[in-house]
Amino acid sequence: MKRLSIFVSGNGTNLQRIAEYFLEDWEVEIVNVVCNNPKAYAIERAKKLQIPVRMIDKEEFNGEAFVKELQSLGIDLIVLAGFLWKIPEALVKAFPKKIVNIHPALLPKYGGKGFYGEHVHEAVVAAREPFSGITIHYVNELYDSGEIIMQAHVALDEKETPDTLAAKIHQLEQAYFPVAIEEVLKAIQ
């Protein structure tokens, strides 16, 4: 049995898609959802999916006790599904190549501090890029710079807006993120 912890900060559509994808998989259990935003709709999604929610503040998140808590739960993989805090070094070291993130652009372009959600789509459209997409990658100590697991791309139209691009990116996330997680889980011993 592989055990997941999913970290969220917002709406939780990727959380829901991942949970539904693994619903009938008796080899995967979502142990908890870790959330840093008490107003996140992801909390409601987790409750409906009957997944325990672990609320966390910044001080606790950066402390050793949280790392030990996750280790005591036997977590095999941490999935960042729209989680907006930088992962502390202690957590990265405790879970090497066992934390994955999805980024709404083709890294290394449009990554780093401040590049998330609509900010990424606005920058891509403003630069008149011919393509954008998603990058699923391992997390290291730096923003959006861990080893790339996979990428998927989509072409931009002449009349592309940040909103239309966001919709395209969301479709890629829903299609590819659960599959990539499954592949990473298969590789974990």
Side-chain angles (χ1 to χ4, degrees):
M1 170 80 61
K2 300 292 187 198
R3 297 169 59 85
L4 299 182
S5 180
I6 301 179
F7 289 19
V8 297
S9 295
N11 193 14
T13 55
N14 281 323
L15 159 66
Q16 183 161 344
R17 174 69 180 112
I18 293 163
E20 290 170 353
Y21 184 86
F22 289 113
L23 191 62
E24 299 299 319
D25 188 332
W26 303 110
E27 298 296 315
V28 176
E29 176 187 4
I30 300 173
V31 175
N32 66 6
V33 168
V34 174
C35 184
N36 62 348
N37 176 5
K39 296 180 181 176
Y41 189 69
I43 297 166
E44 292 306 312
R45 291 182 194 274
K47 287 178 182 175
K48 288 177 186 171
L49 293 161
Q50 299 180 332
I51 303 169
V53 175
R54 167 67 160 91
M55 296 302 299
I56 195 155
D57 63 32
K58 196 78 156 188
E59 183 179 336
E60 192 177 27
F61 183 66
N62 287 306
E64 280 294 321
F66 181 61
V67 172
K68 287 181 178 19
E69 178 184 326
L70 291 173
Q71 289 172 325
S72 74
L73 292 171
I75 301 299
D76 294 294
L77 187 68
I78 296 170
V79 176
L80 308 184
F83 188 72
L84 298 181
W85 285 351
K86 187 173 184 238
I87 304 303
E89 190 173 329
L91 193 53
V92 172
K93 285 184 176 174
F95 291 89
K97 283 190 105 172
K98 292 186 176 180
I99 306 174
V100 297
N101 182 44
I102 188 164
H103 185 76
L106 298 171
L107 294 174
K109 285 185 163 186
Y110 307 103
K113 188 172 183 174
F115 276 107
Y116 61 91
E118 68 210 30
H119 303 292
V120 173
H121 308 314
E122 288 167 358
V124 169
V125 170
R128 298 178 173 262
E129 293 283 354
F131 296 97
S132 190
I134 60 168
T135 302
I136 299 167
H137 64 94
Y138 290 107
V139 173
N140 63 15
E141 293 85 3
L142 305 172
Y143 283 112
D144 302 324
S145 65
E147 179 187 337
I148 292 173
I149 298 165
M150 64 96 39
Q151 292 183 310
H153 72 276
V154 63
L156 274 68
D157 299 326
E158 281 183 29
K159 295 181 181 180
E160 200 76 59
T161 68
D163 289 339
T164 59
L165 179 56
K168 289 178 179 181
I169 296 299
H170 185 70
Q171 287 181 329
L172 291 177
E173 290 173 345
Q174 296 283 290
Y176 289 99
F177 202 17
V179 176
I181 292 166
E182 184 174 39
E183 291 304 310
V184 169
L185 286 171
K186 287 177 184 175
I188 292 174
Q189 299 301 322

